[in-house]
């Protein structure tokens, strides 16, 4: 089934004013039919092929599951503990959450104008100057797809490591781990989890909104159980408030200030999924309003949920040196066991996190398949004719999902050569997603934000510029930061391979663009317009009913 059919009346700079004009509605009471979203998609140049079944809250719940707080914070707790302890855990999370709120708001505003599964890639093409739009969108699209795939890989691999650590809350009589997993065994666990998540996503597509709703309830019930149990039992005693909120003890070998920054990988990884939900725009009833709201709502919920999870842990934290020396690299199971004083009690508290790991992997698998499919339908990926097909029986891009899965499994083989593979997977995922989020925001700023005038999710001039600047500043800071090794000194087995993986994917994308894309890749559908169209002249008042006429400015290169 072709996914590149060009709807009549497609626009290079966005849909016509009567489609973009905001309609009044509240957060939970949208009554629009799915045809509203399909009409908007047609105006953007695409044929609707996926069923729109998700409401605002369904999208918000899926966005929440993509981050899966507290699971996402549990699997990377090693990094802030080694790079400073409680101060980095708590205040690093608060700082990054506020920054990511600016990123989500900035992306939400742009998404409310261009709501397609192509996400930031499509947005970049539409708002970039005609001379540079193809190459800028191509770079952004590759970063977005690679980020989605590698962050999904990081989630599934992190779940494998976490599962092994959870099993080892049970120990032999001599105090050794009950399952001293070999490298190949951990890889097989990762493989099983990856296959399971893909099976759930593909075969259970119609019930995924219900699973996301279940995940919200499951998460907060689990959080309450963990919070109450460890603070009430606290077998090893409780730390003081000064320790829980103010203790700083870096053991990574980095200077203190830089150690704090490296520890932010913990929060950066957990919030990196912020823009992945945009890939679900074509399965949402009113994507121009529902998706931006969901993105912002989720950041707030995640910030609160993260604090509810981590603050109690800091009050019952065992010796940090012991935690960072754990072979598993997963301190949370040990923290919970120390707090409740028994293996059985610890595993009961870990079950909610283990289930969340599977649900998070499923959500990431779903989002990664949609963005891969969206990029392929514009011919930007080698073999696009296979990856752009939609399986009509399952109502999803199955081929794109299988491509994503195979790439994840192949990259997982890196673990046989480096025990720090998880650091590479999570690092390159954060790097690529950060770059992909930054590109449309930066282009919008260069174009003086004229493309978001009249957006259905308006930030306004002052707040919009503030959020955009914070988002770009974070991007410039985060990309080199997440290329750093977690600790010093660095060996061949502990080096951060994120830059290597990133350069590898970049080389593939550049080679494909030089050999094929430069002459053949045209970007999203604009052919019927025939010429590039500048941003539509719009009224300065959001929601204006004044008709906006496109201004022809010449052909793109």
């Amino acid at each position: 089934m072709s996914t590149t059919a060009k709807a009549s009346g497609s626009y290079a700079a966005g849909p016509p004013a009567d489609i973009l004009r905001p309609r009044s509605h509240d957060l939970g009471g949208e009554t629009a039919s799915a045809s509203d979203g399909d009409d908007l998609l047609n105006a953007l140049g695409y044929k609707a092929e996926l069923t729109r079944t998700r409401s605002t809250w369904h999208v918000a719940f899926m966005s929440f599951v993509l981050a899966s707080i507290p699971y996402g914070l549990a699997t990377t707790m090693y990094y802030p503990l080694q790079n400073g302890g409680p101060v980095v855990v708590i205040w690093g999370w608060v700082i990054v959450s506020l920054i990511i709120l600016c990123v989500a708001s900035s992306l939400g505003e742009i998404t409310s104008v261009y709501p397609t599964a192509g996400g930031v890639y499509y947005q970049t093409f539409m708002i970039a100057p005609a001379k540079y739009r193809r190459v800028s969108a191509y770079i952004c699209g590759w970063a977005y797809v690679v980020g989605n795939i590698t962050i999904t890989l990081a989630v599934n691999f992190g779940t494998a490591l976490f599962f092994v650590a959870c099993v080892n809350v049970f120990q032999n009589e001599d105090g050794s781990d009950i399952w001293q997993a070999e490298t190949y065994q951990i890889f097989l666990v990762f493989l099983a989890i990856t296959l399971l998540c893909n099976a759930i996503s593909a075969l259970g597509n119609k019930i995924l909104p219900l699973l996301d709703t279940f995940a919200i309830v499951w998460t907060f019930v689990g959080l309450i159980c963990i919070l109450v149990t460890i603070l009430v039992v606290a077998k090893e005693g409780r730390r003081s408030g000064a320790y829980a909120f103010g203790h700083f003890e870096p053991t990574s070998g980095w200077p203190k200030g830089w150690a704090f920054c490296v520890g932010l990988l913990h929060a950066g990884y957990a919030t990196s999924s912020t823009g992945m939900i945009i890939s679900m725009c074509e399965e949402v009833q009113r994507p121009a309003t529902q998706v931006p709201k969901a993105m912002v709502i989720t950041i707030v919920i995640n910030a609160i949920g993260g604090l509810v999870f981590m603050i109690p842990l800091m009050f019952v934290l065992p010796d940090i040196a012991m935690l960072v020396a754990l072979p598993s690299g997963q301190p949370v199971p040990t923290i919970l066991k120390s707090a409740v004083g028994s293996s059985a009690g610890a595993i009961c508290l870990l079950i909610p996190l283990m289930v969340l790991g599977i649900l998070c992997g499923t959500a990431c698998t779903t989002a990664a398949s949609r963005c891969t499919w969206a990029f392929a339908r514009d011919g930007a990926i080698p073999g696009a004719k296979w990856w752009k097909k939609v399986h009509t029986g399952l109502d999803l891009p199955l081929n794109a999902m299988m491509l994503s899965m195979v790439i994840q499994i192949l990259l997982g083989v890196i673990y046989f050569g480096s025990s720090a593979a998880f650091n590479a997977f999570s690092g390159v995922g954060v790097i690529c997603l950060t770059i992909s989020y930054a590109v449309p925001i930066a282009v919008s700023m260069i174009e003086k934000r004229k493309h978001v005038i009249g957006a259905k999710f308006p930030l306004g001039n002052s707040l919009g510029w503030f959020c955009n600047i914070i988002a770009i500043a974070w991007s410039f800071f985060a990309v080199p930061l997440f290329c750093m090794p977690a600790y010093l000194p660095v060996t061949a087995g502990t080096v951060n391979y994120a830059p290597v993986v990133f350069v590898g994917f970049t080389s593939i994308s550049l080679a494909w663009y030089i050999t094929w894309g430069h002459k053949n890749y045209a970007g999203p559908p604009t052919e019927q317009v025939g010429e590039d169209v500048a941003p539509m002249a719009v009224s300065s008042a959001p929601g204006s009913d004044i008709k906006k006429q496109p201004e022809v400015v010449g052909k793109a290169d």
Side-chain angles (χ1 to χ4, degrees):
M1 182 182 297
S2 174
T3 61
T4 56
K6 309 299 186 289
S8 61
S10 61
Y11 289 80
D18 58 338
I19 293 180
L20 280 183
R21 187 184 311 124
R23 302 181 179 93
S24 59
H25 58 276
D26 58 34
L27 182 64
E30 292 92 338
T31 58
S33 66
S35 62
D36 290 336
D38 290 345
D39 289 343
L40 177 54
L41 186 64
N42 289 335
L44 294 175
Y46 292 109
K47 176 183 177 181
E49 295 194 81
L50 302 177
T51 305
R52 297 181 182 274
T53 59
R54 295 176 183 265
S55 67
T56 298
W57 287 110
H58 286 148
V59 181
F61 293 164
M62 180 179 177
S63 185
F64 178 87
V65 176
L66 283 169
S68 281
I69 308 299
Y71 160 79
L73 294 172
T75 56
T76 53
M77 186 68 73
Y78 168 86
Y79 298 104
L81 289 180
Q82 186 169 58
N83 285 282
V87 164
V88 186
V89 172
I90 302 300
W91 300 113
W93 174 246
V94 172
I95 292 170
V96 172
S97 293
L98 292 174
I99 292 172
I100 298 302
L101 184 60
C102 292
V103 176
S105 299
S106 298
L107 288 177
E109 185 179 41
I110 299 173
T111 299
S112 72
V113 181
Y114 304 108
T116 78
V120 291
Y121 147 73
Y122 182 93
Q123 295 161 8
T124 299
F125 185 89
M126 290 304 177
I127 65 180
K131 186 176 182 180
Y132 305 106
R133 60 178 40 164
R134 281 199 305 155
V135 65
S136 59
Y138 186 85
I139 293 171
C140 181
W142 267 90
Y144 190 50
V145 171
V146 171
N148 271 261
I149 292 175
T150 52
I151 212 70
T152 304
L153 164 62
V155 167
N156 290 336
F157 207 92
T159 302
L161 296 173
F162 190 71
F163 276 22
V164 172
C166 289
V167 170
N168 283 328
V169 296
F170 297 97
Q171 294 184 321
N172 297 313
E173 292 183 0
D174 61 359
S176 60
D177 292 339
I178 195 171
W179 183 19
Q180 297 184 19
E182 300 289 340
T183 300
Y184 80 91
Q185 292 175 316
I186 294 175
F187 180 82
L188 290 176
V189 174
F190 154 72
L191 183 61
I193 291 170
T194 300
L195 294 174
L196 175 61
C197 290
N198 277 269
I200 295 173
S201 181
L203 302 179
N205 184 47
K206 293 182 179 179
I207 65 168
L208 290 183
L210 294 178
L211 281 180
D212 295 336
T213 304
F214 162 77
I216 288 286
V217 178
W218 179 264
T219 297
F220 282 95
V221 170
L223 279 175
I224 293 171
C225 291
I226 292 172
L227 183 153
V228 172
T229 303
I230 64 176
L231 290 181
V232 170
V233 177
K235 282 287 186 179
E236 302 295 327
R238 301 173 187 83
R239 301 281 192 176
S240 66
Y243 181 93
F245 292 100
H247 184 72
F248 185 63
E249 183 186 345
T251 59
S252 61
W254 289 110
K256 289 185 176 180
W258 191 245
F260 179 91
C261 295
V262 174
L264 296 180
L265 175 62
H266 174 240
Y269 168 71
T271 56
S272 61
S273 62
T274 299
M276 290 174 66
I277 194 64
I278 303 174
S279 297
M280 302 302 296
C281 275
E282 295 178 32
E283 294 168 69
V284 178
Q285 294 161 5
R286 283 196 174 187
T289 51
Q290 292 173 324
V291 173
K293 285 181 179 179
M295 291 168 65
V296 174
I297 290 170
T298 303
I299 298 302
V300 176
I301 296 175
N302 283 344
I304 296 171
L307 291 175
V308 172
F309 172 63
M310 293 187 296
I311 289 175
L313 294 182
M314 297 303 101
F315 275 99
V316 296
L317 195 67
D319 179 61
I320 292 178
M322 179 270 292
L323 292 173
V324 299
L326 291 170
S328 66
Q330 297 291 328
V332 170
T334 301
I335 295 172
L336 293 181
K337 181 178 178 180
S338 171
V340 299
S342 74
S343 299
I347 199 67
C348 288
L349 295 180
L350 288 166
I351 287 175
L353 303 181
M354 297 170 73
V355 173
L356 276 179
I358 300 299
L359 295 176
C360 180
T362 301
C364 289
T365 296
T366 303
S369 68
R370 301 316 192 260
C371 83
T372 304
W373 164 72
F375 201 39
R377 70 179 170 183
D378 289 332
I381 299 177
K385 65 180 181 180
W386 294 297
W387 318 130
K388 71 181 182 180
K389 293 183 181 295
V390 172
H391 191 289
T392 54
L394 297 175
D395 190 29
L396 53 82
L398 183 64
N399 290 359
M401 183 180 292
M402 295 300 100
L403 173 64
S404 173
M405 181 185 72
V406 170
I407 293 173
Q408 291 170 45
I409 292 172
L410 292 177
L411 286 175
V413 175
I414 293 176
Y415 186 66
F416 286 99
S418 172
S419 59
F422 175 64
N423 191 15
F425 303 149
S426 56
V428 75
V430 173
I431 291 168
C432 289
L433 288 175
T434 299
I435 292 173
S436 69
Y437 300 160
V439 172
I441 298 173
V443 173
S444 179
M445 294 172 67
I446 293 171
E447 293 293 297
K448 299 179 180 179
R449 291 176 43 82
K450 57 189 175 186
H451 293 269
V452 295
I453 298 175
K456 286 190 175 183
F457 186 77
L459 296 179
N461 191 52
S462 298
L463 180 59
W465 277 106
F466 175 80
C467 289
N468 292 171
I469 291 171
I470 294 296
I472 295 302
W474 166 250
S475 301
F476 276 110
F477 176 70
V479 170
L481 176 66
F482 296 135
C483 292
M484 300 295 170
Y487 54 89
L488 300 176
V490 179
T491 66
T494 61
V495 68
N496 184 354
Y497 285 97
V500 177
V501 177
F502 176 72
V503 170
F505 274 114
T506 302
S507 300
I508 292 172
S509 66
L510 287 176
W512 180 244
Y513 187 79
I514 292 170
T515 58
W516 182 89
H518 182 66
K519 293 183 178 180
N520 299 282
Y521 169 67
T526 59
E527 287 84 346
Q528 288 191 350
V529 177
E531 294 180 294
D532 281 303
V533 181
M536 297 179 181
V538 297
S539 166
S540 59
S544 170
D545 290 345
I546 297 176
K547 298 297 180 182
K548 308 167 181 71
Q549 298 300 326
E551 174 190 356
V552 177
V553 297
K555 296 179 182 293
D557 70 339

